[in-house]
Amino acid sequence: SFLVQITKIVPHRFTEPWFMEDAIKGVNRIFGGLNPGTLRTFLTHGEMDPIRSLGPSSDLNDLSPIVVMPREF
């Protein structure tokens, strides 16, 4: 999971569940979560990236495509 991966690279206090939940809620509130209200954005995901499911998986609108790069992280 994302929390398991992140605990390997950041100080312990940042991996406390309350800290991560508060941080995620704050970022989602500011940027719109999986439905950001943005135009002219180009998003890419690597097909093999274990956390790509945390981002949008289909085009946000006609001017904001999502591209999955095959066989990439």
Side-chain angles (χ1 to χ4, degrees):
S1 80
F2 176 72
L3 284 177
V4 172
Q5 293 174 12
I6 202 73
T7 58
K8 295 177 183 179
I9 58 173
V10 299
H12 180 69
R13 72 179 182 276
F14 294 118
T15 61
E16 294 293 334
W18 63 266
F19 181 89
M20 293 299 290
E21 289 171 16
D22 287 352
I24 291 167
K25 286 177 188 175
V27 169
N28 285 340
R29 185 174 50 254
I30 293 168
F31 294 105
L34 292 176
N35 300 301
T38 137
L39 293 173
R40 297 186 182 107
T41 305
F42 184 78
L43 299 170
T44 61
H45 295 293
E47 179 182 40
M48 301 173 77
D49 185 348
I51 61 170
R52 83 176 165 138
S53 63
L54 297 176
S57 58
S58 60
D59 294 351
L60 300 176
N61 55 57
D62 291 340
L63 299 174
S64 299
I66 307 262
V67 173
V68 176
M69 311 272 288
R71 300 176 309 277
E72 296 293 334
F73 280 94

